[in-house]
Amino acid sequence: MPKLDIEQFACLSDNYAVLIHDEEAGVTASIDAPDADTILKRAAEKGWRITHLLVTHHHGDHTGGNLKLKEATGCTIIGPKSEAERIPGIDQAVAEGDVVTFGSFEIRVLDTPGHTVGHIAYWIPEARVAFVGDTLFSLGAGRIFEGSAEMMWNSLKKLKELPPDTEIYCGHEYTVANAQFAMTVDPDNMALQNRAKEADMLRAKGKSTLPTRLDRELETNPFLRPHVTAIRERLGMPFAPDWKVFAEIRERKNKA
Ligand SMILES: [Fe+2]
């Protein structure tokens, strides 16, 4: 079975950059480009040549390094079709159902609108990994800047249905703050309390809390759990549809 090397590192104030590498094929992709210099430096340290840039959405802290990265490496920039005009240097526009060939891996594109209307995620089934940008976070979910709550919920529902052992890489380190909020809507969840403690400990040591894994999120992330009776009762919404409960959780987090 081919091996996918994954290198995650901090960029800007709380973004993550990720490089994925197929040694045998000699290809390397950057997931988003928060900061070209940091990404180029890490690639050089690893001895990897960046051949692809996979963009999740148009926000500046994900695309600010696009042109510099392309100029330095000649990489192919792949990004979301429905906001292609906002992705600097884009070469290939992709959407749900498209498959990007990367060495011996197939990268599947999922439309995950809500944070931005064109937001996409990249899923590599064979490597059991997904890069979800600012749609799903560890113990949280992205803010809804351009889409509607129902749209965002449908995107999260799609991610919920990936294989539970999928490693989830996200755009930001928000876990500690997310955990504090999550405990206000799901206070009796022991698994959540344990994850909150673990996140505090990791951050105190300067370590990353990411990647996370889908099965852990399904147990602890309130944004993926609007169906849970204890959460519904806490919010006083016993009979509302899931997306409305999700919308209420998102609204409360915005105000937290
Ligand atoms: Fe964003």
Side-chain angles (χ1 to χ4, degrees):
M1 203 170 106
K3 185 171 167 282
L4 187 74
D5 295 310
I6 304 181
E7 183 79 0
Q8 175 189 257
F9 45 102
C11 253
L12 306 176
S13 61
D14 55 28
N15 280 76
Y16 280 117
V18 179
L19 291 172
I20 60 175
H21 177 72
D22 177 343
E23 180 70 32
E24 219 175 284
V27 290
T28 304
S30 178
I31 313 298
D32 287 326
D35 179 58
D37 291 337
T38 313
I39 295 167
L40 288 167
K41 184 165 168 269
R42 183 61 66 102
E45 283 163 9
K46 300 293 290 183
W48 298 349
R49 191 176 66 83
I50 297 172
T51 49
H52 301 71
L53 167 53
L54 304 172
V55 179
T56 60
H57 67 293
H58 70 79
H59 285 162
D61 60 325
H62 295 256
T63 57
N66 279 22
L67 296 180
K68 193 165 182 184
L69 220 52
K70 190 173 186 173
E71 198 185 293
T73 64
C75 65
T76 300
I77 301 185
I78 296 153
K81 195 176 250 170
S82 53
E83 53 192 49
E85 73 290 347
R86 302 176 79 177
I87 310 295
I90 192 166
D91 297 297
Q92 191 185 339
V94 294
E96 179 87 22
D98 286 339
V99 174
V100 178
T101 302
F102 178 74
S104 43
F105 294 91
E106 284 192 342
I107 303 179
R108 292 175 189 275
V109 178
L110 305 171
D111 282 341
T112 55
H115 179 71
T116 66
V117 286
H119 195 297
I120 56 175
Y122 297 95
W123 173 39
I124 311 179
E126 208 182 349
R128 289 282 196 251
V129 65
F131 304 95
V132 302
D134 290 356
T135 301
L136 174 63
F137 291 119
S138 172
L139 299 178
R143 275 182 189 264
I144 304 164
F145 285 120
E146 295 176 11
S148 66
E150 198 168 7
M151 185 190 272
M152 187 68 158
W153 170 242
N154 285 326
S155 297
L156 291 172
K157 241 173 43 181
K158 196 182 287 179
L159 297 177
K160 273 175 71 139
E161 278 151 25
L162 296 179
D165 62 351
T166 304
E167 301 272 347
I168 305 286
Y169 285 81
C170 322
H172 295 268
E173 176 64 63
Y174 291 155
T175 313
V176 167
N178 285 345
Q180 291 306 316
F181 170 76
M183 288 191 293
T184 67
V185 291
D186 196 10
D188 300 325
N189 183 336
M190 280 301 289
L192 170 59
Q193 290 171 25
N194 290 335
R195 285 199 66 199
K197 281 182 209 138
E198 183 195 72
D200 285 341
M201 200 185 69
L202 286 168
R203 295 308 289 156
K205 290 183 187 161
K207 290 187 182 165
S208 171
T209 65
L210 293 164
T212 180
R213 225 170 82 149
L214 185 58
D215 50 5
R216 302 183 80 201
E217 294 307 312
L218 293 171
E219 277 182 12
T220 52
N221 185 334
F223 293 90
L224 298 183
R225 294 162 55 77
H227 58 283
V228 171
T229 309
I231 293 177
R232 293 173 154 260
E233 280 176 357
R234 182 119 198 135
L235 300 177
M237 303 176 80
F239 306 115
D242 286 347
W243 77 266
K244 283 203 170 166
V245 179
F246 162 76
E248 174 63 21
I249 297 171
R250 183 60 265 178
E251 201 50 46
R252 289 184 182 217
K253 176 69 166 66
N254 291 346
K255 293 179 191 146

